Amino acid sequence: MDAKTLYEQGISAIRDQQDREAGRKLLTQALKLDPRNDMAWLWLSRALDEPAKQRQAVERALRINPHNSKARDIYLKLVELYGGDPTLPDTLARSVERNGSGAASIGGQPAVRRQPTPQEEQIIAKQLKIANDVMTRGDDEGAVEAWVNVLNIVPDHDLAIKSAVQTLVRLNFYDDAKELVNRAIAARTPNPAIYLTAMDFAKRDRDHARLEALREAVLRLPDVPESLVIKIAEDYLRLGQNARAREVLETGVKRFPDSQRVLFYMGETLYQSGFPRESAAYFNRAAKIDPSTKEGKASDKRLMEFPPVLSDRERGNLLLAWREAFGIGAFLMLLAWMDAGLNLGNLSSGAALGVFLSVLAGYLLVTATSSPQQRPIARLLGGRVPEDRAEHNHERAGLFMASQTNIGAMHEPTRLPILPAPVRVVFALFGIALLIVAFILVFDRSLDLLGDPGPTEWRRFM
Amino acid sequence: MEVVIFLLFYIGLNIFLSSLTVPFPLSDTGTVRYNTTPYMTAILILLNVVIFAFWLGGDWLGLLSARNEFEATVSYTNYTRTMGTYGFRHEFLTEAMSIGAFTSFTGMFMHAEIMHILGNMIFLWAFGRRVEDACGPWRFLVFYLLAGTVSNIGSALLITVNGDVPMIGASGAIFGVMGAYLLLFPTARMDCLWVPAMVIKVVLAVFGLRDEDEKSWRWTVRLPAIFVVVLYVGFNIFPTFETAQTGELEGYSNYIAHMTGFLSAIVIFLFVRKDLLTRYFSGRAI
């Protein structure tokens, strides 16, 4: 049976058959299907016995439709009979307008929460126990009433609001659930989960202004979790508001500079928004945190599309530079070993010196060409930290290309001093000269043989 | 003209026959991340080709196209003399003649005949470009020469019987490059010439079954590099053990040099770029 039929049958039961019990049941069912029917709430108030419950039903009708004159009359009559604040309907109406469509009640710093008094603590504990007891008996509405009593004291009580909202949504009292959430937000709760629920409600209502206000408010919360930042950014991406998503994630990166997820999403958002170069820095940072995670792997995969990024850690590492020098030395050593008849004992002192010089030459060449920022040599020889070239075109990413004509590696803006160009030229020239000397020393006997035109054992094939 | 036609036929037939049995790698398909032009690989190929064309190649061709016994003898004498003098002989090392290192260099750039150089240079092109990108040209050059040197030392140490046979060719160094490629890019794929797979591909295409990744028709097949490298290493392993046991070189291929060259690939970590090394050992994609 649909809500309208139930509503009509409910009215008929109350008005025509004078059966208030049947009318109450029918109207309750109708309101579960359509909780925004203000007249149904009004008729329900007539089927209720307790004045407090009657007043609650009329208040609901007024919240839904503040201009319902019949509801106002009944409300005033109830106030007259049982006492209360006659201005409440207007306040409620304003509250509906405020909570229903705008950001006026959201935002700002979270309020300093009033601690419940010991007496209130006792009431809360008692109400929670009641809620638990009645829930076990299947009395959902009774439990909700108890939780609401708790929320009247602490509007964002974790357990009470979570349980009440879940139950109300399950029972289709969507507006009631929304109201509880809005009350907690109006009290400036710092609980991000409540904002998340409010955002879901706003989405369901297609209330974009409120949704936007909630997103902004949630980002200002001191304990906003990274997952929520990402969720908000994803929402913006889905809506095609990429610039807004980037702003949200930038806030997230500032708040969680070591969060792999936030960094990855920032990179991904930039990538999807057509800023691939800028995205590389975030992918790089994300991948560095832990390459084995889902985000780490995804970041690394994305990075395959870009030139690799050279970091200060690699640039300034003395061992990495000497490693290459030892590679050159190892090569010369093998050559010298060959000419010594594979016997190190036969190695001439000249050849041994050649091997040593080759390592030194290798180091000078490596320093001049690819590692001019090793600590502490660069500082010792008058090195300076270069200006941050990132600002030209990759400010957001904090990366720049080494050179358009050079190898295509990307560099992070460095904080290390770099050797001055003249020093590097001297290193290179000296390195080349040393390498030539090293080769001559290692090949000394071979050069003698090559220069000797006479018959030798080597030339017996000739 | 006849010689040219003969050479083309000879090359075509050889490539067809070799790709009938094993995949013949032509090109690496991966991303060259540093966007470098493989100058050093190209220079090495050019150097090998020039040395062959202007040194051993003339005598080899003269031998093939000799019109009489005299011409054949002259060509043969020149050919063997050049090879024996500048090729790498183990006795240069074992008898401490002090010319081993020099001939190790020269031997590395000498090739016996056209298929020898063609095969080696295709392999160098296929595997070398990406390794060079990972190292940079000069470091790649040192690695290449080091791998060739290690391969020559390996064969000098393990071949003890007929050490007077001159060894020539870049294959030891190229096996080093292949090993480095496998170490650095184990999941890479290669475009290969492989007749059986090509036949299957054509048959499948006739029935409308095509690889969706393939934007346009290719005669080559894309195979995992690990499969190709392991296959070639596999062909070398058993003869290597046999030669190591007997100490005697069998046939025309120096399998020991191939395998020691391949094992020398481990030194690639002395020559790869700093950031690549860091990424490699931190488990990141390179």
Side-chain angles (χ1 to χ4, degrees):
Chain A
M1 211 179 293
D2 64 0
K4 195 183 169 199
T5 313
L6 286 165
Y7 166 64
E8 285 167 357
Q9 285 181 0
I11 294 173
S12 170
I14 296 167
R15 191 179 52 198
D16 306 332
Q17 297 155 28
Q18 304 295 317
D19 186 351
R20 292 171 74 220
E21 181 63 29
R24 187 163 59 82
K25 277 183 185 166
L26 286 163
L27 286 168
T28 307
Q29 283 176 18
L31 283 166
K32 275 184 185 172
L33 295 173
D34 179 16
R36 292 197 64 81
N37 184 344
D38 55 327
M39 287 309 291
W41 284 107
L42 210 55
W43 276 101
L44 180 66
S45 74
R46 289 177 64 173
L48 295 167
D49 298 325
E50 290 177 42
K53 285 193 175 174
Q54 281 178 343
R55 207 168 111 176
Q56 277 178 11
V58 180
E59 279 176 12
R60 289 299 302 267
L62 276 169
R63 280 196 193 97
I64 294 160
N65 182 7
H67 309 293
N68 187 330
S69 54
K70 230 176 212 175
R72 276 175 180 270
D73 293 344
I74 294 171
Y75 183 80
L76 290 172
K77 228 176 241 177
L78 285 169
V79 169
E80 204 178 305
L81 283 170
Y82 305 107
D85 181 5
T87 60
L88 193 58
D90 287 337
T91 315
L92 282 169
R94 279 200 300 276
S95 163
V96 169
E97 281 163 16
R98 211 169 47 223
N99 290 336
S101 64
S105 65
I106 311 167
Q109 289 302 311
V112 178
R113 297 167 76 193
R114 183 179 68 81
Q115 287 297 316
T117 61
Q119 197 183 355
E120 285 173 332
E121 291 276 16
Q122 281 180 358
I123 296 170
I124 289 169
K126 190 179 165 190
Q127 290 298 324
L128 288 176
K129 190 175 180 310
I130 291 170
N132 194 35
D133 292 345
V134 295
M135 266 305 267
T136 51
R137 293 201 300 269
D139 181 4
D140 293 340
E141 286 172 14
V144 170
E145 200 175 322
W147 286 320
V148 169
N149 289 336
V150 173
L151 294 173
N152 284 337
I153 301 167
V154 182
D156 61 346
H157 187 282
D158 277 351
L159 178 63
I161 198 161
K162 190 179 165 194
S163 311
V165 169
Q166 276 178 357
T167 311
L168 286 167
V169 169
R170 183 162 48 79
L171 296 173
N172 268 335
F173 289 119
Y174 170 74
D175 281 351
D176 293 307
K178 199 167 84 176
E179 192 201 326
L180 291 178
V181 169
N182 288 343
R183 272 170 56 187
I185 289 172
R188 292 182 182 172
T189 173
N191 184 348
I194 295 175
Y195 287 85
L196 201 59
T197 312
M199 282 159 64
D200 286 340
F201 286 147
K203 261 185 230 170
R204 189 173 150 167
D205 294 344
R206 299 206 170 106
D207 189 346
H208 301 299
R210 179 162 177 75
L211 191 58
E212 183 66 25
L214 284 164
R215 282 178 188 139
E216 282 180 13
V218 87
L219 289 172
R220 285 197 294 271
L221 293 176
D223 296 324
V224 58
E226 61 175 57
S227 57
L228 198 52
V229 175
I230 290 165
K231 185 179 160 44
I232 292 170
E234 278 179 338
D235 283 350
Y236 280 126
L237 284 175
R238 259 196 298 275
L239 293 168
Q241 297 179 24
N242 290 12
R244 190 76 187 94
R246 287 202 303 275
E247 282 171 24
V248 168
L249 286 165
E250 269 171 13
T251 311
V253 170
K254 279 181 197 153
R255 190 76 71 83
F256 310 104
D258 299 321
S259 162
Q260 194 179 35
R261 285 193 72 200
V262 173
L263 288 167
F264 169 71
Y265 272 91
M266 182 68 196
E268 195 62 21
T269 306
L270 284 166
Y271 185 86
Q272 302 290 351
S273 309
F275 298 99
R277 184 69 54 75
E278 287 84 346
S279 71
Y282 294 100
F283 288 132
N284 190 49
R285 281 169 66 184
K288 271 185 181 174
I289 290 169
D290 184 357
S292 64
T293 61
K294 188 180 148 201
E295 282 81 15
K297 281 179 186 162
S299 297
D300 240 359
K301 199 175 170 188
R302 277 274 187 243
L303 279 170
M304 292 299 284
E305 296 174 32
F306 304 100
V309 182
L310 191 68
S311 69
D312 269 1
R313 193 178 146 221
E314 288 130 15
R315 270 188 294 225
N317 195 311
L318 208 63
L319 276 177
L320 285 175
W322 277 107
R323 163 196 69 115
E324 296 170 35
F326 281 120
I328 296 169
F331 176 49
L332 269 283
M333 181 70 215
L334 285 179
L335 298 179
W337 186 42
M338 282 173 118
D339 277 356
L342 299 179
N343 183 352
L344 282 176
N346 288 344
L347 202 68
S348 69
S349 54
L353 179 65
V355 172
F356 172 74
L357 289 181
S358 72
V359 177
L360 203 60
Y363 177 68
L364 289 174
L365 286 169
V366 165
T367 305
T369 54
S370 62
S371 300
Q373 287 174 288
Q374 308 145 65
R375 302 185 191 97
I377 188 168
R379 203 180 297 275
L380 190 76
L381 295 172
R384 281 191 186 169
V385 178
E387 283 177 29
D388 186 359
R389 278 172 278 176
E391 66 192 33
H392 293 313
N393 48 359
H394 303 306
E395 189 173 8
R396 186 189 294 275
L399 290 177
F400 60 88
M401 294 296 289
S403 160
Q404 292 303 317
T405 53
N406 202 346
I407 56 157
M410 288 203 279
H411 293 223
E412 287 173 349
T414 183
R415 285 188 293 276
L416 297 177
I418 185 167
L419 280 175
V423 175
R424 293 168 67 183
V425 171
V426 170
F427 269 36
L429 293 174
F430 198 53
I432 291 167
L434 267 186
L435 202 56
I436 292 168
V437 171
F439 265 97
I440 291 170
L441 287 170
V442 168
F443 280 105
D444 182 34
R445 284 150 78 178
S446 303
L447 290 169
D448 282 350
L449 279 172
L450 286 166
D452 181 4
T456 60
E457 178 63 15
W458 166 51
R459 287 199 178 91
R460 71 185 156 84
F461 270 91
M462 286 181 132
Chain B
M1 188 62 191
E2 282 171 6
V3 176
V4 174
I5 293 168
F6 167 76
L7 279 180
L8 289 174
F9 175 74
Y10 178 73
I11 291 168
L13 183 69
N14 268 285
I15 290 178
F16 175 77
L17 290 175
S18 57
S19 63
L20 203 58
T21 48
V22 285
F24 198 78
L26 294 178
S27 177
D28 159 65
T29 62
T31 315
V32 180
R33 289 191 70 197
Y34 294 89
N35 300 323
T36 52
T37 310
Y39 295 116
M40 197 50 74
T41 307
I43 288 170
L44 284 170
I45 290 171
L46 191 69
L47 206 58
N48 276 289
V49 170
V50 166
I51 286 170
F52 178 74
F54 292 99
W55 204 16
L56 271 176
D59 290 329
W60 173 73
L61 211 56
L63 199 60
L64 287 180
S65 57
R67 282 167 296 187
N68 51 50
E69 201 175 328
F70 175 73
E71 280 181 6
T73 309
V74 169
S75 295
Y76 180 76
T77 311
N78 285 338
Y79 183 71
T80 49
R81 193 174 58 187
T82 311
M83 214 187 274
T85 308
Y86 294 99
F88 175 73
R89 283 184 278 143
H90 302 160
E91 63 176 16
F92 291 157
L93 264 57
T94 50
E95 293 176 23
M97 285 190 209
S98 300
I99 199 73
F102 175 75
T103 54
S104 173
F105 269 135
T106 49
M108 224 186 284
F109 289 93
M110 292 165 77
H111 289 86
E113 49 98 25
I114 197 145
M115 273 317 294
H116 188 199
I117 186 166
L118 195 72
N120 274 353
M121 292 308 107
I122 290 173
F123 270 65
L124 179 57
W125 179 250
F127 291 98
R129 282 178 304 154
R130 209 164 164 201
V131 177
E132 182 184 337
D133 184 67
C135 298
W138 292 105
R139 281 171 291 211
F140 174 70
L141 175 67
V142 180
F143 167 72
Y144 177 86
L145 295 175
L146 182 62
T149 307
V150 170
S151 74
N152 283 334
I153 290 174
S155 73
L157 286 172
L158 293 168
I159 298 171
T160 50
V161 178
N162 43 357
D164 200 23
V165 179
M167 301 292 163
I168 57 169
S171 47
I174 290 166
F175 262 85
V177 174
M178 286 165 70
Y181 184 94
L182 195 62
L183 271 177
L184 297 175
F185 315 109
T187 57
R189 295 169 79 83
M190 309 218 68
D191 278 335
C192 301
L193 214 59
W194 195 15
V195 174
M198 282 156 62
V199 171
I200 294 168
K201 201 172 164 178
V202 171
V203 172
L204 290 176
V206 168
F207 289 101
L209 297 166
R210 276 184 62 180
D211 186 354
E212 285 176 6
D213 293 341
E214 233 178 76
K215 285 172 189 158
S216 56
W217 173 260
R218 279 194 315 260
W219 282 101
T220 54
V221 283
R222 195 157 284 185
L223 296 171
I226 191 165
F227 170 73
V228 179
V229 175
V230 167
L231 198 68
Y232 279 93
V233 169
F235 286 139
N236 282 268
I237 274 184
F238 298 108
T240 298
F241 282 125
E242 204 178 315
T243 309
Q245 277 177 340
T246 59
E248 194 170 3
L249 184 67
E250 299 277 350
Y252 295 103
S253 275
N254 189 343
Y255 299 108
I256 293 257
H258 293 171
M259 284 312 295
T260 45
F262 183 76
L263 294 175
S264 73
I266 194 76
V267 297
I268 191 67
F269 295 114
L270 290 176
F271 300 102
V272 289
R273 296 173 198 271
K274 293 187 286 280
D275 52 300
L276 187 144
L277 187 78
T278 313
R279 283 198 309 280
Y280 187 90
F281 286 107
S282 60
R284 290 182 56 190
I286 58 165

